[in-house]
Amino acid sequence: MLMCTVTHRILGTATSAGAIHDLKLFRQSGMRFPHDTTLIGDAGYQGLWRSHGHAITTHKATRASPLSAEQRQENRVLAHTRQGIEHVIRRMKVFRVLKGIYRGFARVLWKVS
């Protein structure tokens, strides 16, 4: 999903028929951006900076190289920025539940004669 971090408006979406990796779906979608646009992604977009120079993703730690204090702070700032985006995604998923067919158990509480 492509979204503006300031206005929280959805600018575009991409879907697939089955399970597909986030970065692969992004590349297949064909979305193009000006080179001065900053793209913010989660851990699923780790290779995005190769095709777009202004891409920001979280830092990952390994046993051999743990995160520095500066990298941890950058991850916190990025998480705070992405928090609003995650809230919009949550609202969309709630709406999707209302749109679908309820297939669970429903108990009849009263009968109309």
Side-chain angles (χ1 to χ4, degrees), residues 7 9 11 19-20 30 32-33 35 41 43 49 61-62 71 80 85 89-90 93 99 105 107-110:
T7 62
R9 286 189 171 186
L11 304 175
I20 187 170
R32 300 289 179 243
F33 307 100
H35 290 290
W49 58 269
T62 63
Q71 289 174 329
H80 180 72
I85 296 168
I89 292 170
R90 176 182 50 94
K93 288 182 178 180
K99 181 180 172 186
F105 178 74
R107 213 172 4 181
V108 178
L109 298 177
W110 63 87

Side-chain angles (χ1 to χ4, degrees), residues 3-103:
M3 200 171 115
C4 178
T5 57
V6 177
T7 62
H8 293 257
R9 286 189 171 186
I10 299 169
L11 304 175
T13 59
T15 59
S16 68
I20 187 170
H21 192 270
D22 291 343
L23 187 56
K24 186 174 182 180
L25 179 65
F26 176 74
R27 288 183 176 151
Q28 286 179 355
S29 70
M31 292 185 199
R32 300 289 179 243
F33 307 100
H35 290 290
D36 59 344
T37 303
T38 302
L39 300 178
I40 300 173
D42 59 359
Y45 293 92
Q46 286 293 322
L48 185 60
W49 58 269
R50 289 186 185 111
S51 60
H52 190 82
H54 293 286
I56 301 172
T57 56
T58 57
H59 297 285
K60 288 179 143 182
T62 63
R63 284 187 192 171
S65 61
L67 293 180
S68 67
E70 180 180 321
Q71 289 174 329
R72 283 195 303 271
Q73 183 62 30
E74 287 176 7
N75 281 351
R76 285 188 189 111
V77 169
L78 184 60
H80 180 72
T81 304
R82 291 191 64 247
Q83 185 178 11
I85 296 168
E86 295 296 333
H87 288 311
V88 172
I89 292 170
R90 176 182 50 94
R91 280 186 257 146
M92 284 181 53
K93 288 182 178 180
V94 168
F95 181 73
R96 175 75 179 140
V97 168
L98 294 175
K99 181 180 172 186
I101 298 170
Y102 180 71
R103 299 191 185 274

